[in-house]
Amino acid sequence: MNLVAHQLLSFNQPKWQVGNHLGEVVKGRNFEDYSPEIVTGILLHRFIDNFTDTDETVKRSTARLHQKYRKYSPIIIDIFYDYLLIKNWEKYSDENFLSFKKNVYQRLLEHKDIYPSRLLKTTQAMVKYDWFEKYGTLEGLEITLQHLSKRTKFTNNMHMAVKDLYVQEEAFNQEFNEFFPKILKASKIFLALE
């Protein structure tokens, strides 16, 4: 799952949200200096990633892209699933998306002093260029995938995947809506909310 989903799956708990965000860069046992609530968010991030990577529904989505995009297929699906989450927002959140987005940005920036420099730059760019808003449109997805493509070591055509989403959106949307209730429930169980 990508940034929007990770934040929604932190269930509006500020420290979990910050920890979940830190989970992008904090590896191994390098979380031991953070508060217990932030550690919970870091571990939640890892749980979400592992659950997503091993889920059969997600694998079906990824397989549809594999021939064209090979090892980049899971990355593309993560971003597609954020787009589909935004598209299906009312099914999975009682808070409107604009309010959610503003709250996430504010909370993440409030804790910028604890981010490693790489994550700080990413966070500032995310807010400045309103990535969450970009994830909600095909045009924004194409821009996002172009930027990601430039950061990889190997030549790829990730930005072209938006055409695959456009053509097969109904199938991807069906798979997303099959998958997301599973990760929602699993995350609640992981956090002992259920």
Side-chain angles (χ1 to χ4, degrees):
M1 300 305 289
N2 204 40
L3 295 167
V4 177
H6 273 285
Q7 289 302 308
L8 184 63
L9 294 170
S10 297
F11 302 99
N12 211 23
Q13 298 298 310
K15 299 285 187 182
W16 291 353
Q17 287 177 290
V18 170
N20 204 328
H21 190 54
L22 276 162
E24 290 288 333
V25 295
V26 174
K27 305 301 177 194
R29 297 200 57 82
N30 293 333
F31 55 75
E32 293 173 340
D33 292 334
Y34 295 105
S35 71
E37 297 91 349
I38 287 179
V39 170
T40 297
I42 293 169
L43 297 177
L44 173 62
H45 184 100
R46 294 176 184 181
F47 172 79
I48 292 166
D49 282 354
N50 184 61
F51 187 97
T52 303
D53 291 345
T54 57
D55 182 80
E56 291 304 317
T57 307
V58 176
K59 286 180 181 177
R60 283 201 317 269
S61 291
T62 304
R64 193 174 297 110
L65 297 178
H66 185 74
Q67 186 174 353
K68 288 185 185 175
Y69 308 104
R70 304 284 180 205
K71 66 181 180 177
Y72 298 109
S73 300
I75 298 165
I76 295 166
I77 290 300
D78 280 352
I79 294 167
F80 281 9
Y81 274 24
D82 261 6
Y83 165 83
L84 294 165
L85 174 57
I86 295 165
K87 194 170 175 109
N88 291 280
W89 190 257
E90 292 74 26
K91 289 182 186 176
Y92 301 110
S93 179
D94 294 330
E95 183 179 15
N96 76 62
F97 184 68
L98 182 60
S99 171
F100 167 82
K101 179 180 72 163
K102 286 172 65 178
N103 287 333
V104 168
Y105 289 170
Q106 180 181 341
R107 287 173 182 167
L108 296 184
L109 286 176
E110 282 171 358
H111 292 83
K112 65 184 180 181
D113 55 313
I114 66 169
Y115 300 153
S117 62
R118 187 174 118 224
L119 185 62
L120 176 58
K121 287 177 187 171
T122 300
T123 305
Q124 290 169 330
M126 177 180 69
V127 174
K128 180 177 180 179
Y129 298 109
D130 199 357
W131 290 3
F132 282 24
E133 194 64 31
K134 282 190 174 48
Y135 293 159
T137 68
L138 293 174
E139 297 80 8
L141 286 185
E142 188 169 3
I143 292 165
T144 300
L145 290 168
Q146 281 174 338
H147 286 297
L148 273 176
S149 179
K150 291 174 187 171
R151 290 176 23 207
T152 62
K153 292 180 183 176
F154 303 103
T155 304
N156 63 76
N157 57 351
M158 274 197 280
H159 67 284
M160 300 295 289
V162 173
K163 292 178 182 170
D164 295 278
L165 175 59
Y166 181 77
V167 171
Q168 302 179 67
E169 186 167 338
E170 189 176 326
F172 283 123
N173 191 53
Q174 185 176 348
E175 287 161 354
F176 170 79
N177 282 303
E178 182 182 323
F179 166 72
F180 203 75
K182 291 188 282 183
I183 188 63
L184 198 56
K185 182 178 174 100
S187 297
K188 285 180 179 177
I189 291 169
F190 177 83
L191 293 165
L193 297 175
E194 206 169 86

